Amino acid sequence: MTDPHATLDVAGSRKERSTMTDTLAFGTVDTVLGRLLVAETETGVAALHFRDTPAARARTAKAAGLPVVDAPGRLSPALSALRDYFAGDLKHFEVPIDWRLTSDVQRQVLSTLYESVPYGQVVTYGELGDRSGTGVHAQVIGQVMGSNPIPLIVPCHRVVASNGLGGYSGGSGVEVKRWLLTMEGALPATLDWDITRAP
């Protein structure tokens, strides 16, 4: 089925086409991992950063190619969901997603992850590659996870290596991944683990 809001870019990958009314709004939420920055269009959440910095805002706005507006009401559901997630009260994000900052392959892999790997479970890079139907190698799946524009909500922390945790580019790295998986119950908690203390 052809998406009427998508066009082919020069490389042949599908990209969302902006309409004249598309805008981008930013909001922040304080968590145990720090102040997260969320970017959302009228379609849904397009990006999440582990740090609210002017550079993160500028990069996201440039990549989206959209004017930035102040729209706190638009962001309220996503920010509330993130608060609930970190409080241990939310097991599945149901916020709308805007995939415009992903390529076709990224979108296929990340949407498979979003739809099929629930809270408290993990999948290996290779298993996700097979499950996504893309036929790409586990290393490529790792690259897709590393470039995920919407971490946490699209749970790339739940994708692990066949022989361990694998890498993680969010926050302070693999320790954040370990902390998130411990919070979700996918890893056993150590005696000193504390949900209120950042890794």
Side-chain angles (χ1 to χ4, degrees):
M1 182 169 87
T2 303
D3 180 350
H5 296 292
T7 57
L8 292 181
D9 67 8
V10 180
S13 67
R14 293 162 55 90
K15 292 204 171 216
E16 296 295 321
R17 179 171 36 86
S18 299
T19 66
M20 295 303 283
T21 59
D22 283 346
T23 60
L24 188 70
F26 290 104
T28 61
V29 59
D30 289 316
T31 73
V32 67
L33 298 180
R35 178 168 288 173
L36 305 180
L37 175 67
V38 179
E40 191 167 345
T41 68
E42 287 81 358
T43 302
V45 175
L48 186 150
H49 299 277
F50 280 87
R51 299 286 177 265
D52 176 15
T53 65
R57 289 174 182 250
R59 270 194 321 273
T60 302
K62 181 177 180 182
L66 298 174
V68 175
V69 298
D70 186 28
R74 179 191 304 175
L75 287 143
S76 290
L79 299 180
S80 178
L82 284 161
R83 279 187 208 95
D84 290 347
Y85 171 76
F86 281 101
D89 298 329
L90 181 82
K91 307 297 188 225
H92 176 71
F93 287 98
E94 294 183 358
V95 296
I97 302 292
D98 184 334
W99 299 104
R100 77 177 63 223
L101 299 181
T102 61
S103 68
D104 280 352
V105 169
Q106 288 174 311
R107 184 176 312 186
Q108 192 168 342
V109 171
L110 292 171
S111 63
T112 300
L113 169 64
Y114 181 69
E115 295 164 5
S116 71
V117 184
Y119 187 98
Q121 294 186 21
V122 296
V123 64
T124 67
Y125 296 105
E127 289 167 344
L128 182 58
D130 293 342
R131 191 180 294 184
S132 70
T134 56
V136 297
H137 189 270
Q139 284 183 314
V140 176
I141 298 296
Q143 292 168 1
V144 170
M145 296 304 104
S147 62
N148 175 12
I150 318 170
L152 298 175
I153 294 174
V154 179
C156 52
H157 60 277
R158 296 180 192 154
V159 186
V160 298
S162 58
N163 61 352
L165 283 181
Y168 193 66
S169 57
S172 56
V174 75
E175 288 309 310
V176 168
K177 183 176 191 173
R178 184 185 314 279
W179 188 91
L180 290 166
L181 292 175
T182 302
M183 181 186 77
E184 293 186 0
L187 289 177
T190 58
L191 291 175
D192 63 346
W193 191 83
D194 183 352
I195 195 170
T196 64
R197 195 176 69 227

